[in-house]
Amino acid sequence: AQSVAQPEDQVNVAEGNPLTVKCTYSVSGNPYLFWYVQYPNRGLQFLLKYITGDNLVKGSYGFEAEFNKSQTSFHLKKPSALVSDSALYFCAVRDGGRAGGFKTIFGAGTRLFVKA
Amino acid sequence: DTAVSQTPKYLVTQMGNDKSIKCEQNLGHDTMYWYKQDSKKFLKIMFSYNNKELIINETVPNRFSPKSPDKAHLNLHINSLELGDSAVYFCASSEGLVSDTQYFGPGTRLTVL
């Protein structure tokens, strides 16, 4: 069965500093990995995904994530945080094979707070 | 134009009532989903349809029944509402089943009194 873990409930960072939001996963087949962001009272918005190819994936709003197969991780990063980045971030995984039943499993979410 | 829309945005109702939430996507996608987000923000898949065919049917009470009249619409009907059904329900769509990005609607906040 596939699973995804976001070990931090909240990440606090000062504006202008780099940020990292952690994610680890477990799947039996090839992992398809996603990051979504949710602003208050809104639906989730897609940031980036890894399907295959280059381990470093660049996405929206200056975010990037690195796929690390040996550590089964897909951490979200940004070189310089903005106050407007403050939101709830979800990591998600889908098993590329049929074993996952086409389900996307979402992590519990990490609240990012960027202080001015 | 809104890509994935849901109505209503807020729904307040009494226990025991029956209610429906509607979802429409104008992206031409083949796959649509219903998710439930609880008060702790956990997001859980409920149902998924691909080309009007039910693909995912998670362990949800059979009081919840999805209906897909066409590829662009996926509605959720809930019978005999209970207090524990209070949550935010999100509709989403994607081009295909596996590797595709999901596009989420704005959510419907259901409160059962």
Side-chain angles (χ1 to χ4, degrees), chain B residues 53-106:
Chain B
E53 180 188 350
L54 183 63
I55 298 296
I56 298 172
N57 186 358
E58 279 297 275
T59 310
V60 299
N62 57 15
R63 298 181 294 103
F64 290 78
S65 54
K67 281 195 171 50
S68 182
D70 55 57
K71 279 195 335 180
H73 296 85
L74 180 61
N75 303 324
L76 183 66
H77 188 76
I78 316 169
N79 288 329
S80 303
L81 278 156
E82 300 178 358
L83 292 177
D85 297 333
S86 296
V88 181
Y89 292 84
F90 287 102
C91 177
S93 74
S94 65
E95 197 169 329
L97 268 177
V98 184
S99 64
D100 295 304
T101 301
Q102 293 181 43
Y103 293 82
F104 284 77

Side-chain angles (χ1 to χ4, degrees), chain A residues 49-63:
Chain A
K49 67 181 178 183
Y50 171 84
I51 303 300
T52 186
D54 195 348
N55 289 345
L56 184 64
V57 178
K58 292 189 184 297
S60 307
Y61 312 120
F63 284 93

Side-chain angles (χ1 to χ4, degrees), chain A residues 32 34 36 38 41-46 49 51 88 90 94-96 101-104 106-108 111, chain B residues 9 33 35 37 40-43 45 55-56 58 90 96-102 104-107 109:
Chain A
Y32 294 161
F34 304 81
Y36 290 86
Q38 185 179 28
N41 301 312
R42 305 282 296 273
L44 278 70
Q45 295 176 36
F46 169 75
K49 67 181 178 183
I51 303 300
L88 185 58
F90 289 95
R94 181 174 269 193
D95 192 320
F102 305 115
K103 279 184 278 189
T104 300
F106 285 81
R111 193 165 297 281
Chain B
K9 190 168 174 61
Y33 311 81
Y35 287 90
Q37 187 175 44
K40 294 187 177 179
K41 305 298 184 184
F42 290 121
L43 196 66
I45 182 76
I55 298 296
I56 298 172
E58 279 297 275
F90 287 102
L97 268 177
V98 184
S99 64
D100 295 304
T101 301
Q102 293 181 43
F104 284 77
R109 183 175 294 276

Side-chain angles (χ1 to χ4, degrees), chain A residues 18-93:
Chain A
L19 69 88
T20 298
V21 182
K22 295 179 181 176
C23 172
T24 58
Y25 66 89
S26 172
V27 296
S28 56
N30 289 326
Y32 294 161
L33 295 154
F34 304 81
W35 275 103
Y36 290 86
V37 60
Q38 185 179 28
Y39 296 99
N41 301 312
R42 305 282 296 273
L44 278 70
Q45 295 176 36
F46 169 75
L47 277 179
L48 50 81
K49 67 181 178 183
Y50 171 84
I51 303 300
T52 186
D54 195 348
N55 289 345
L56 184 64
V57 178
K58 292 189 184 297
S60 307
Y61 312 120
F63 284 93
E64 58 188 31
E66 185 160 14
F67 170 62
N68 187 317
K69 189 173 181 178
S70 62
Q71 297 186 5
T72 61
S73 67
F74 190 58
H75 301 331
L76 181 70
K77 300 185 180 193
K78 186 173 182 181
S80 178
L82 299 171
V83 172
S84 57
D85 293 329
S86 298
L88 185 58
Y89 290 80
F90 289 95
C91 181
V93 66

